[in-house]
Amino acid sequence: MTANIPKEIEAYLNGLTEVQKAIVLKIRAAVLSADPAVKEGIKWGSIAFFNKENICGFRIAKAHVTLLFMKGAELKTPNILSGDGAKARTYKVTSAAEVDVANITKLVKESIAFGM
């Protein structure tokens, strides 16, 4: 791993399959590059991203990786998110090649603009 990955994040990544790790690293780079205010840590047993509030975090399954946006229902960005709950929305992918970096970045920027 590279030196800019905190040890707790690196330890988490080491527990993933190669496919899961590739997806997580691509999404992680998009989220962290969206705004310098975004921080990361381990919350709820996985990598989570936050600023003033929780923005989004990973849920890892055997066949896919899900990025859950805590207030995804409020986001207006060209929507790649799924779900119909009162607040949260999810983005599910099965390979790093299908990760929509541009829209993930937009969703994080919009979340920051919302005050998260």
Side-chain angles (χ1 to χ4, degrees):
M1 296 285 153
T2 60
N4 64 345
I5 297 179
K7 288 183 193 250
E8 67 177 353
I9 303 298
E10 186 173 359
Y12 178 84
L13 292 169
N14 287 336
L16 301 177
T17 68
E18 289 304 312
V19 171
Q20 292 167 334
K21 189 183 301 185
I23 295 167
V24 168
L25 286 172
K26 192 167 183 180
I27 292 173
R28 176 182 177 267
V31 171
L32 292 174
S33 69
D35 192 294
V38 177
K39 299 171 237 11
E40 68 180 328
I42 300 293
K43 292 185 176 187
W44 312 289
S46 191
I47 299 172
F49 303 95
F50 51 94
N51 180 35
K52 295 175 185 169
E53 296 180 25
N54 295 313
I55 297 169
C56 58
F58 289 108
R59 301 296 176 261
I60 308 295
K62 204 178 273 190
H64 67 272
V65 171
T66 299
L67 183 66
L68 180 133
F69 279 83
M70 307 307 175
K71 292 187 178 179
E74 299 177 34
L75 302 176
K76 306 294 185 232
T77 294
N79 216 332
I80 58 172
L81 302 178
S82 300
D84 58 4
K87 292 184 181 184
R89 295 287 185 271
T90 59
Y91 174 63
K92 182 169 37 171
V93 293
T94 58
S95 74
E98 69 183 80
V99 173
D100 187 341
V101 171
N103 278 319
I104 290 170
T105 302
K106 288 177 186 176
L107 288 163
V108 173
K109 287 181 181 208
E110 187 176 349
S111 296
I112 295 289
F114 259 163
M116 295 179 77

